[in-house]
Amino acid sequence: SGEALITPGLYYPELKPAGPVEMQIVPGGPDNERNEIQLSVLAMLQRATRRLRLMTPYFVPEDAVLCAIQLAAMRGIEVELMVPARGDHFYLTHVTRSSYEDLLPYGVRIHEYQPSLLHAKVAIIDDQCAMCGSANLDVRSLRINFELNLAFYSPRLAAELNVLFEENLAHCREITAEDHAARPFSHRLLEVVCRPLTSLL
């Protein structure tokens, strides 16, 4: 028809501010090669200067994410990871625990939530900004599944999420390097067997 479908303002008009919180919608999926969710997670991990808190039901990090967490801890950032003590798939629990030896020596504090499956997916950075949504810290969420995250820049909302984190801490058991080293042989064996599944989970 000769009509320019990308005419400015026709289909994507400029949006007026609707509130006081600056936020970004971050979509991800196999139809996009940019891996925006993975890149946004890495950006927020690298943005931290003081404290980083992570909650996720499935922690099966890619090397890039794992290295970013390690580097944050090496920079002196207080890094805390909260995961469920028992996942909804037994092998995921052991894959998650197999990564503890990659985190504990760096000073990352690991909290296992005891009552049930913890399903929150939250990252809180420096009490100033946060990210939440459908994506877990695993390969499938960051690269394969259709996911949607929300990143926002609001000390008030970050404080509310910190309250949630603190409330959950009351139901957690902290895993120390000594605890992890003293785990049963059967757990070690399952971790070795399940760890190669990382790229598929």
Side-chain angles (χ1 to χ4, degrees), residues 163-180:
V163 170
L164 172 64
F165 196 97
E166 294 288 342
E167 290 174 348
N168 284 342
L169 273 181
H171 304 286
C172 287
R173 172 176 175 258
E174 183 169 359
I175 306 300
T176 65
E178 292 76 16
D179 294 329
H180 189 59

Side-chain angles (χ1 to χ4, degrees), residues 44-45 47-54 68-82 103 106-111 123-127 162 165-166 169 174:
M44 298 195 86
L45 292 174
R47 178 190 179 106
T49 60
R50 188 175 63 83
R51 183 166 73 172
L52 176 62
R53 286 178 149 178
L54 305 169
I69 295 173
Q70 291 171 334
L71 287 170
M74 291 175 70
R75 295 199 311 270
I77 309 300
E78 179 187 344
V79 182
E80 293 180 273
L81 171 67
M82 187 179 294
L103 299 173
Y106 291 84
V108 176
R109 297 181 65 188
I110 300 173
H111 310 282
I124 313 166
I125 298 89
D126 292 337
D127 305 328
N162 269 320
F165 196 97
E166 294 288 342
L169 273 181
E174 183 169 359

Side-chain angles (χ1 to χ4, degrees), residues 10-111:
L10 181 60
Y11 296 104
Y12 302 99
E14 183 177 351
L15 299 177
K16 296 180 180 179
V21 177
E22 181 183 354
M23 63 179 62
Q24 294 174 287
I25 302 296
V26 187
D31 59 341
N32 192 332
E33 296 180 356
R34 293 185 179 177
N35 296 323
E36 281 97 339
I37 289 185
Q38 182 203 43
L39 292 174
S40 63
V41 167
L42 290 172
M44 298 195 86
L45 292 174
Q46 293 167 1
R47 178 190 179 106
T49 60
R50 188 175 63 83
R51 183 166 73 172
L52 176 62
R53 286 178 149 178
L54 305 169
M55 279 192 289
T56 181
Y58 310 118
F59 184 74
V60 188
E62 290 186 293
D63 288 343
V65 173
L66 184 62
C67 288
I69 295 173
Q70 291 171 334
L71 287 170
M74 291 175 70
R75 295 199 311 270
I77 309 300
E78 179 187 344
V79 182
E80 293 180 273
L81 171 67
M82 187 179 294
V83 294
R86 292 172 300 280
D88 50 354
H89 302 291
F90 84 95
Y91 54 86
L92 282 171
T93 299
H94 294 292
V95 171
T96 292
R97 288 178 174 165
S98 73
S99 66
Y100 288 2
E101 61 192 35
D102 298 317
L103 299 173
L104 291 168
Y106 291 84
V108 176
R109 297 181 65 188
I110 300 173
H111 310 282

